[in-house]
Amino acid sequence: KDGASISEITKNGIPIVILSSETNKVVTVRARKLGVECIQGVKEKLTAVQNLLQTNKLGAEEIWYIGNDLNDLEPVKHYFSLCPSDAIQEIKNNSDIILSTRGGEGIFVEVSNILKRKKP
């Protein structure tokens, strides 16, 4: 479901990065197929995001962070953030947008639609 929306987002010059605390070959293969960067085995997601911002010369206001679990809490608190409808309550309490979509059920379709509405 997300493949076409991810492709549309990245074709519009918006990079997508997968940050995962786990290491999973399936995620690696899927990220490669989608043409998105994938960083796995991340223990400190806030530090990882800060490093990505610095490396890519981006400001904090230029990113959207999507998270759903406790290990996403610090980035969710620091950046504009979205979460799926089935995220843990603490993430929902700190997210700017709670998506209507559950995790794994087309999050990027909904994100793409939000981005389309934000265009001038």
Side-chain angles (χ1 to χ4, degrees):
K1 239 183 200 182
D2 281 327
S5 293
I6 288 172
S7 178
E8 183 179 343
I9 292 168
T10 58
K11 282 179 184 172
N12 283 310
I14 301 170
I16 295 174
V17 178
I18 298 170
L19 286 179
S20 179
S21 57
E22 299 175 1
T23 301
N24 184 320
K25 283 185 180 182
V26 174
V27 174
T28 302
V29 170
R30 182 75 171 139
R32 190 175 304 127
K33 181 178 178 184
L34 293 169
V36 300
E37 184 175 354
C38 181
I39 304 169
Q40 298 187 61
V42 177
K43 299 302 175 208
E44 297 288 333
K45 288 190 176 183
L46 180 59
T47 302
V49 172
Q50 291 167 335
N51 290 340
L52 283 167
L53 289 173
Q54 185 176 4
T55 300
N56 293 290
K57 297 177 176 53
L58 296 171
E61 71 285 351
E62 295 180 85
I63 68 161
W64 288 11
Y65 187 92
I66 303 172
N68 69 337
D69 208 349
L70 199 53
N71 61 356
D72 297 302
L73 185 58
E74 288 307 310
V76 164
K77 286 180 176 180
H78 283 81
Y79 303 106
F80 182 81
S81 59
L82 305 90
C83 72
S85 63
D86 60 344
I88 65 167
Q89 192 60 47
E90 196 163 3
I91 294 294
K92 287 180 179 181
N93 293 345
N94 288 281
S95 290
D96 296 291
I97 296 176
I98 299 172
L99 301 166
S100 59
T101 312
R102 295 172 53 88
E105 295 181 0
I107 291 289
F108 281 94
V109 173
E110 189 171 351
V111 170
S112 178
N113 289 331
I114 293 169
L115 287 167
K116 286 175 190 172
R117 288 194 305 264
K118 289 193 158 291
K119 282 189 174 180

